[in-house]
Amino acid sequence: MKGTVLEQSNLRDLFLLRPDIIFLNHGSFGACPRPVFEQYQKWQLELERQPVEFLGRRFNELLRAAREPLAKYLQVAAANDLVYVPNATTAINLVARSLQLQPGDEVLATDHEYGAADRTWRFVCAKRGASYINHALPLPLTSHEQIVESLWSGVTPRTRVLFISHITSPTAIIFPIKELIRRAREANIISVIDGAHAPGQIPLNLSELGADFYAGNCHKWMLSPVGSGFLYARKEMQSLLEPLIVSWGWQAEKPGTSRFIDELEWQGTRDIAAYLSVPAAIQFMAEHDWAQVQHACHELARYTRRKISELTELEPITPDWSEWYAQMVALPLPSYDAEILKARLYDEFRIEVPIVTWNGRQFVRVSIQGYNTRADIDALMNALAILLPQIAPGS
């Protein structure tokens, strides 16, 4: 791939995004390249041509073949330690509902977690008489040691689960999860990682990280079709899991080599084309020198961070190092009406970008993918320069 994302927009032509929209919200639902989407449709067509053969005779082998490239990409030693699920939220539900929490037990998390995951843990803990604790990590954050020591100070003799995002959704911060996982293992605390934003945005070696459970999405930064996620479980922990949907894999008449796969993979009639398209997404990234794309996207995120900070005169929430953010960056805004700002950015300037309200503060969360250019960011800057004075209190 010649040049960089900052200099050219040739990748934009490979995506299905509407040309009249400046799309700076890849982090919410992703966007699938045309070649991968075409492969997805081919799988759907193949299913429809002979459903019995596809779902009855070929199902297990098709998913096994799709797991292997994903396991290699995530650096998982055994493909049978992964199972496909529709999204990371499903994976977190699967883990949370399986763990046998007791009255008085505690699940420790931060106050930067994704809303659906927070709701999952609150729901489960309320039914079990356990407590879900969102430990505050106030901004700005200045060191990884600060995060580790602050969160670990919330551990008590009742802590049974440590739940933490790898990259946070509202604040777009890469958390230092490896040390926290290590400490949790030593303390006999189960580690559950929400990796929704990590695969495809930062390098991953799940075997080396050593989390007990790691939930991820393929349809965000890995570029696969919507509805493709995964759950990784350490082999020693797989026996703790129960299927969300009980079907033919439970007490299977013809057991496979893994009860984990048998029970969690087979859920009745469903379209698995998104899962089967993940290898095509991995191939797409390899063919387009995705490490270079990621680097160029990070540099554009740095440019975004600098320009918005200059406009608002508000300090960024982390140091300006690649260890803190990758292709997604959240910048503080003045405390204006977030809904009005988001609506006017879209209605008047055709810019799709989330305005996040977190702990009473407003942020613009900008996602940079290979189809974005500096012109997209300059258009956002122009729109913010016009709109922020107009929506200021008293204006």
Side-chain angles (χ1 to χ4, degrees):
M1 176 179 171
K2 297 179 180 179
T4 71
V5 179
L6 307 187
E7 298 165 349
Q8 59 185 44
S9 59
N10 64 320
L11 278 176
R12 177 74 184 224
D13 296 335
L14 295 177
F15 284 80
L16 296 160
L17 294 165
R18 281 170 48 183
D20 61 322
I21 301 296
I22 297 173
F23 198 74
L24 296 171
N25 192 14
H26 189 93
S28 283
F29 304 107
C32 185
R34 189 183 306 273
V36 180
F37 192 77
E38 288 172 352
Q39 184 63 48
Y40 168 61
Q41 291 182 309
K42 287 181 181 178
W43 282 119
Q44 290 182 311
L45 179 60
E46 191 167 341
L47 186 159
E48 293 300 331
R49 286 168 61 86
Q50 225 298 22
V52 174
E53 180 181 278
F54 195 94
L55 293 174
R57 303 186 187 105
R58 298 176 61 197
F59 180 91
N60 291 334
E61 176 57 27
L62 287 170
L63 281 176
R64 183 201 63 77
R67 281 197 307 273
E68 289 181 350
L70 178 60
K72 183 177 179 180
Y73 182 82
L74 300 172
Q75 300 193 63
V76 173
N80 277 359
D81 294 338
L82 288 169
V83 65
Y84 277 110
V85 293
N87 47 53
T89 300
T90 300
I92 292 166
N93 266 267
L94 200 159
V95 174
R97 289 168 176 261
S98 295
L99 298 181
Q100 298 301 305
L101 296 173
Q102 302 297 318
D105 286 349
E106 295 176 353
V107 177
L108 178 63
T110 77
D111 58 346
H112 294 247
E113 307 307 329
Y114 181 54
D118 274 338
R119 285 166 171 78
T120 299
W121 287 109
R122 290 204 308 265
F123 177 88
V124 169
C125 286
K127 286 186 171 296
R128 304 281 173 79
S131 298
Y132 179 56
I133 299 168
N134 292 108
H135 184 87
L137 293 176
L139 301 176
L141 296 171
T142 58
S143 74
H144 288 156
E145 292 75 17
Q146 172 193 6
I147 295 173
V148 170
E149 297 304 331
S150 177
L151 182 56
W152 200 252
S153 72
V155 172
T156 76
R158 297 181 298 278
T159 304
R160 297 292 175 264
V161 177
L162 175 68
F163 173 68
I164 187 170
S165 293
H166 200 164
I167 301 178
T168 64
S169 176
T171 49
I173 299 170
I174 302 173
F175 275 168
I177 64 169
K178 187 173 182 180
E179 172 62 14
L180 288 163
I181 292 169
R182 185 192 67 79
R183 292 192 186 193
R185 179 78 61 81
E186 289 184 349
N188 200 30
I189 295 170
I190 296 171
S191 57
V192 182
I193 306 301
D194 180 356
H197 285 281
Q201 191 176 175
I202 60 175
L204 282 178
N205 185 327
L206 294 191
S207 294
E208 185 179 282
L209 275 177
D212 292 318
F213 302 103
Y214 191 105
N217 284 323
C218 304
H219 58 239
K220 287 185 184 284
W221 299 93
M222 280 185 66
L223 308 176
S224 64
V226 168
S228 51
F230 66 86
L231 173 64
Y232 163 78
R234 278 201 313 118
K235 196 172 298 293
E236 296 84 352
M237 306 299 287
Q238 291 171 11
S239 62
L240 299 181
L241 297 178
E242 298 176 345
L244 284 177
I245 298 172
V246 176
S247 189
W248 290 98
W250 186 76
Q251 296 185 350
E253 295 174 357
K254 296 180 179 179
T257 58
S258 166
R259 186 179 67 83
F260 172 65
I261 298 296
D262 286 345
E263 293 189 353
L264 304 187
E265 193 166 76
W266 182 255
Q267 297 177 12
T269 305
R270 55 182 174 143
D271 183 355
I272 60 171
Y275 304 159
L276 302 184
S277 304
V278 170
I282 294 171
Q283 181 180 352
F284 178 90
M285 290 188 287
E287 290 174 349
H288 292 86
D289 191 9
W290 217 249
Q292 170 63 24
V293 173
Q294 290 169 326
H295 173 73
C297 288
H298 176 71
E299 290 303 308
L300 186 51
R302 291 188 70 195
Y303 173 77
T304 305
R305 171 186 160 114
R306 176 169 60 84
K307 298 298 288 185
I308 291 180
S309 298
E310 289 173 356
L311 175 67
T312 63
E313 299 183 343
L314 297 173
E315 289 296 319
I317 58 178
T318 69
D320 188 15
W321 306 334
S322 60
E323 291 84 359
W324 286 97
Y325 67 98
Q327 294 174 235
M328 188 169 70
V329 61
L331 284 308
L333 294 174
S335 294
Y336 302 158
D337 191 308
E339 291 301 318
I340 290 177
L341 177 58
K342 180 179 179 180
R344 292 191 64 182
L345 280 167
Y346 189 78
D347 294 341
E348 299 173 30
F349 296 91
R350 312 310 285 164
I351 297 174
E352 183 70 73
V353 67
I355 307 299
V356 177
T357 298
W358 176 83
N359 282 5
R361 298 179 62 184
Q362 277 73 50
F363 299 85
V364 55
R365 194 193 74 180
V366 182
S367 296
I368 308 295
Q369 190 48 287
Y371 47 75
N372 292 121
T373 66
R374 182 171 290 191
D376 295 337
I377 301 305
D378 290 342
L380 173 64
M381 296 309 307
N382 175 66
L384 289 174
I386 293 170
L387 293 177
L388 289 179
Q390 292 182 9
I391 66 172
S395 61

